[in-house]
Amino acid sequence: MDIIVNGKNEEIVSQTSLLDFLTSKKIHPDRVVVELNTTIIEKHILTDTIIHENDRIEILRFVGGG
Amino acid sequence: MTLSGDQAQRYSRHILIDDIGVKGQQRIAEAKILVIGAGGLGSAVLFYLAAAGVGTIGIADSDVVDLTNLQRQIIHFTDDLNKPKIQSAREKIGRINPDVQVNTHQEFVNSKNILELIRDYDFIVDGTDNFSSKFLINDACVISEKPFSHAGVLVFDGQMMTVVPKVSACLRCIFPKPPLPSAEQGSNQVGVLGSLAGAFGTLQATEALKYIIQKGELLTNRLLIYNALELTFREVTLKKKTACPACGENPKISTLTDYEKAIGSL
Ligand SMILES: [Zn+2]
């Protein structure tokens, strides 16, 4: 099924959780903030949050330079 | 205050804009803006705020100009090596626009001095280069209800948002705590494209001026994300969080703390 990740289309299998998705991208959940359809998902529910078709996911990292 | 004939001429391209006009330009002349960090972001911010005729510009920075700064910190020239950045910046501002009153603060912002530092300013620009200062500025501005512009740049990536405390989401509504120091990378480790800092500094100056003239839509409740390699701008919609540790209904942060000292300096 199709989803949008950081503004770009991606395809994933159904029943993927947000944590599975991060793991598949080798992203450590402690290093990012995940927003699903404009709502920030708390870390402890990443594993229970299942991604649905056409969901918009933003994986945000703090940028500290200046 | 009224504008002199020379000033009316100097700022004529602002005054011609309906949303600025004489009234807007007077507001700019009466404004007090503090720029924390006279580095890559701060250089562009300071140049544009000075040229725009901001009445009082504060500059806080504890560093001296280093050779590695010159690739992006364009307010500092080769002649300025080893000079305090606040002094170098003050000299350039004086040459761009002698109307500007410059207040210099040669100090590294910390939990002890920041509330006093920001107190007399209308708007704060975060031009710092490390996690701890950025979170400290957020918390201090939330506590003091000072609007501010946050931005960060590294390698080819930049992001920014404007925070109007009580009204819009703050940094901690999105990032509840600073990333671990081990996750922090500075431009001294991974580099930064010089023009990226200029692009974001210019946008930060724009936000400060918009706040002062009270026109348009500030970059609030939105995180602007830029990738210079792809030349893409993206906006992520954000919401103020009721459980935010800084600006939420029961904030845990009512006093300031210094986080792990910066590694990404310069
Ligand atoms: Zn907040």
Side-chain angles (χ1 to χ4, degrees):
Chain A
M1 64 187 198
D2 294 325
I3 58 170
I4 300 168
V5 181
N6 289 1
K8 290 182 180 164
N9 293 318
E10 287 206 24
E11 229 186 289
I12 57 160
V13 295
S14 56
Q15 292 303 308
T16 304
S17 75
L18 282 173
L19 189 66
D20 295 339
F21 181 69
L22 290 181
T23 309
S24 75
K25 299 212 161 258
K26 300 194 169 63
I27 297 170
H28 196 287
D30 285 345
R31 299 228 162 163
V32 293
V33 164
V34 180
E35 198 193 68
L36 176 67
N37 302 325
T38 80
T39 299
I40 288 173
I41 306 300
E42 302 291 332
K43 290 206 195 312
H44 65 273
I45 56 168
L46 285 173
T47 183
D48 296 328
T49 308
I50 303 298
I51 304 173
H52 296 99
E53 177 111 42
N54 298 323
D55 274 353
R56 297 185 71 97
I57 298 169
E58 296 285 350
I59 300 168
L60 305 175
R61 276 168 225 271
F62 190 73
V63 178
Chain B
M1 73 174 272
T2 50
L3 301 172
S4 70
D6 270 3
Q7 286 173 327
Q9 226 178 339
R10 179 187 279 265
Y11 305 119
S12 62
R13 301 303 190 268
H14 272 167
I15 294 169
L16 283 167
I17 300 173
D18 279 345
D19 277 339
I20 302 181
V22 172
K23 199 172 146 209
Q25 191 61 46
Q26 284 170 335
R27 280 196 175 140
I28 294 171
E30 284 157 12
K32 294 180 173 182
I33 300 178
L34 175 68
V35 180
I36 304 179
L41 292 167
S43 287
V45 175
L46 290 166
F47 269 134
Y48 278 108
L49 294 184
V54 169
T56 305
I57 298 178
I59 316 169
D61 201 310
S62 62
D63 283 341
V64 296
V65 180
D66 179 89
L67 192 55
T68 61
N69 300 155
L70 302 182
Q71 156 264 15
R72 66 195 180 286
Q73 302 186 11
I74 57 172
I75 206 162
H76 311 302
F77 299 170
T78 307
D79 292 350
D80 298 316
L81 285 174
N82 303 315
K83 199 185 269 186
K85 287 186 179 176
I86 50 162
Q87 187 192 334
S88 160
R90 175 205 279 277
E91 288 166 7
K92 307 317 178 328
I93 292 171
R95 288 164 66 191
I96 297 163
N97 192 343
D99 292 345
V100 177
Q101 155 80 39
V102 182
N103 300 335
T104 51
H105 311 275
Q106 191 170 10
E107 43 199 334
F108 190 90
V109 288
N110 61 46
S111 60
K112 311 251 173 344
N113 64 13
I114 190 165
L115 293 175
E116 174 72 23
L117 200 60
I118 66 178
R119 198 182 59 198
D120 293 330
Y121 292 95
D122 305 316
F123 191 93
I124 316 297
V125 179
D126 169 12
T128 63
D129 61 359
N130 62 84
F131 290 2
S132 66
S133 296
K134 289 182 184 301
F135 278 82
L136 180 69
I137 291 169
N138 180 78
D139 298 347
C141 286
V142 167
I143 289 171
S144 309
E145 293 181 33
K146 296 279 183 189
F148 73 100
S149 165
H150 158 80
V153 286
L154 206 63
V155 193
F156 289 109
D157 296 305
Q159 55 192 42
M160 70 179 277
M161 70 184 283
T162 300
V163 177
V164 180
K166 291 209 157 161
V167 176
S168 73
C170 82
L171 214 53
R172 286 189 194 261
C173 290
I174 302 107
F175 304 100
K177 54 186 180 195
L180 295 171
S182 61
E184 178 160 8
Q185 291 184 308
S187 68
N188 55 346
Q189 294 163 296
V190 293
V192 58
L193 182 73
S195 65
L196 183 64
F200 274 72
T202 304
L203 291 174
Q204 288 187 288
T206 309
E207 286 293 277
L209 292 170
K210 279 163 55 190
Y211 180 82
I212 298 303
I213 62 170
Q214 298 171 27
K215 294 287 177 186
E217 299 289 329
L218 293 169
L219 186 67
T220 47
N221 294 324
R222 297 181 281 157
L223 186 70
L224 180 71
I225 301 177
Y226 172 56
N227 180 276
L229 267 191
E230 299 175 353
L231 212 311
T232 50
F233 282 96
R234 224 150 50 72
E235 251 185 51
V236 176
T237 303
L238 306 166
K239 291 178 213 150
K240 196 170 180 310
K241 195 162 87 179
T242 46
C244 174
C247 75
E249 282 168 3
N250 293 301
K252 288 191 207 83
I253 297 159
S254 50
T255 52
L256 299 171
T257 1
D258 290 306
Y259 298 94
E260 201 83 13
K261 178 91 168 68
I263 56 135
S265 121
L266 309 178

